């Protein structure tokens, strides 16, 4: 296996750095097409959310591909080498698969159990499929990740607690202030 996952998330990078890498909204740049121009990349997916930016790739040469993927992130994020090295994580092979499963299942989310991440992973996968950037490896891997995520949600109580940051904030306010009826909230 030569699977690489490289990225940054809410644990490793502050919002302003993650925003620099948020390419999915750019009309003039298609990150998946750009990734597929890297010689050692056979298949690729680009995931960009408010809490993470990740590239998942099946490669012919993991070491060379990693160097080029770092350059891709460095160039498109306008990050200094110091920022990039401080914020990036890299997972290979089984660790990359494990990380993908944790992300898809919302075990690696800011609020564990939030349901949006699975939809975001599915959207990133569909963009990769539309760009003909997936093949046997990523197709099998992503479909398995979707099954794992569904199983986690149905066989555990992960979604029984707060499933969004805003919901968690309201629940915390209730614990601190009691009944919130008639209270005014200022959101900045």
């Amino acid at each position: 296996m030569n699977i690489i996952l490289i990225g940054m998330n809410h644990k490793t990078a502050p919002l302003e750095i993650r925003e620099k890498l948020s390419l999915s909204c750019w009309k003039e740049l298609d990150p998946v097409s750009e990734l597929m121009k890297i010689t050692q990349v056979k298949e690729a997916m680009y995931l960009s959310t408010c809490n993470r930016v990740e590239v998942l790739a099946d490669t012919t040469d993991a070491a060379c591909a990693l160097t080029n993927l770092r350059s891709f992130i460095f160039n498109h994020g306008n990050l200094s080498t110091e920022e990039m090295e401080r914020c990036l994580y890299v997972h290979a092979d089984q660790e990359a698969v494990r990380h993908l499963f944790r992300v898809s299942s919302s075990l690696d989310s800011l609020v564990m159990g939030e349901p949006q991440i699975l939809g975001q992973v599915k959207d990133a996968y569909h963009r990769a499929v539309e760009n003909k950037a997936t093949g046997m490896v990523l197709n099998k891997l992503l479909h398995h990740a979707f099954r794992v995520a569904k199983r986690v949600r149905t066989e555990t109580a992960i979604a029984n607690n707060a499933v969004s940051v805003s919901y968690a904030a309201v629940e915390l306010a209730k614990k601190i202030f009691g009944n919130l009826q008639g209270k005014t909230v200022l959101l900045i």
Side-chain angles (χ1 to χ4, degrees), residues 8-18 51 83 86-88:
M8 57 181 62
N9 63 20
H10 59 281
K11 296 176 192 172
T12 65
L15 180 60
E16 59 270 11
I17 291 179
R18 294 191 317 266
N51 288 320
E83 284 175 319
R86 186 178 70 240
C87 298
L88 281 181

Side-chain angles (χ1 to χ4, degrees), residues 44-113:
M45 182 182 85
Y46 183 84
L47 173 65
S48 178
T49 74
C50 57
N51 288 320
R52 77 181 61 250
V53 174
E54 294 180 347
V55 173
L56 176 65
D58 179 29
T59 67
T60 57
D61 179 340
C64 287
L66 182 56
T67 299
N68 290 324
L69 290 171
R70 284 178 186 269
S71 294
F72 170 84
I73 290 172
F74 177 78
N75 292 334
H76 291 293
N78 294 318
L79 298 173
S80 70
T81 304
E82 178 184 298
E83 284 175 319
M84 183 175 72
E85 291 304 323
R86 186 178 70 240
C87 298
L88 281 181
Y89 48 80
V90 176
H91 300 294
D93 299 327
Q94 288 183 337
E95 284 301 316
V97 171
R98 182 176 290 115
H99 180 82
L100 175 65
F101 288 0
R102 289 183 54 76
V103 168
S104 299
S105 301
S106 78
L107 297 174
D108 190 56
S109 295
L110 185 61
V111 176
M112 193 181 303

Side-chain angles (χ1 to χ4, degrees), residues 147-159:
R147 285 192 301 276
V148 167
K150 183 178 179 183
R151 188 170 177 199
V152 167
R153 293 196 73 74
T154 57
E155 294 182 17
T156 70
I158 193 168

Side-chain angles (χ1 to χ4, degrees), residues 11 35 71 80 96 107 119 128-129 133-134 137 147 162 165 175-176 185:
K11 296 176 192 172
L35 290 167
S71 294
S80 70
L107 297 174
V129 169
T134 63
V137 174
R147 285 192 301 276
V165 174
K175 286 181 182 176
I176 295 171
V185 175

